[in-house]
Coordinates of all heavy atoms in Angstrom, one line a residue:
R156 N 35.3 169.4 159.4 CA 35.2 168.0 158.9 C 33.7 167.6 158.9 O 33.0 167.8 160.0 CB 36.0 167.1 159.8 CG 36.1 165.8 159.3 CD 37.0 164.9 160.2 NE 36.9 163.5 159.7 CZ 37.6 162.4 160.3 NH1 38.2 162.7 161.3 NH2 37.4 161.2 159.9
R157 N 33.3 167.1 157.7 CA 32.0 166.5 157.6 C 31.8 165.2 158.3 O 32.9 164.4 158.3 CB 31.4 166.4 156.3 CG 31.1 167.8 155.7 CD 30.7 167.8 154.3 NE 31.9 167.4 153.4 CZ 32.2 167.8 152.2 NH1 31.2 168.5 151.6 NH2 33.3 167.4 151.5
K158 N 30.6 164.9 158.9 CA 30.5 163.5 159.5 C 30.2 162.6 158.4 O 29.7 162.9 157.3 CB 29.3 163.6 160.5 CG 29.6 164.5 161.7 CD 28.8 164.3 162.8 CE 29.3 164.9 164.1 NZ 28.5 165.9 164.8
G159 N 30.5 161.3 158.6 CA 30.1 160.1 157.8 C 31.1 160.0 156.7 O 31.0 159.2 155.9
Q160 N 32.3 160.7 156.8 CA 33.3 160.3 155.8 C 34.3 159.4 156.4 O 34.9 159.5 157.4 CB 34.2 161.8 155.5 CG 33.3 162.8 155.0 CD 32.8 162.7 153.7 OE1 33.5 162.5 152.7 NE2 31.4 162.7 153.5
V161 N 34.5 158.2 155.5 CA 35.4 157.3 156.0 C 36.7 157.5 155.4 O 36.9 157.3 154.2 CB 34.8 155.8 155.6 CG1 35.7 154.7 156.2 CG2 33.4 155.6 156.2
L162 N 37.6 158.0 156.3 CA 39.0 158.3 155.6 C 40.0 157.2 156.0 O 40.9 157.1 155.3 CB 39.4 159.6 156.2 CG 38.5 160.8 155.9 CD1 39.0 162.0 156.6 CD2 38.6 161.0 154.3
D163 N 39.7 156.5 157.1 CA 40.6 155.4 157.4 C 40.0 154.0 157.2 O 38.9 153.8 157.6 CB 41.0 155.5 158.9 CG 41.6 156.9 159.4 OD1 42.5 157.2 158.6 OD2 41.2 157.4 160.3
A164 N 40.7 153.2 156.4 CA 40.2 151.9 156.0 C 40.6 150.8 157.2 O 41.4 151.0 157.9 CB 40.7 151.4 154.8

Side-chain angles (χ1 to χ4, degrees):
R156 187 178 172 181
R157 285 176 292 209
K158 292 193 167 130
Q160 304 289 307
V161 181
L162 297 174
D163 301 315

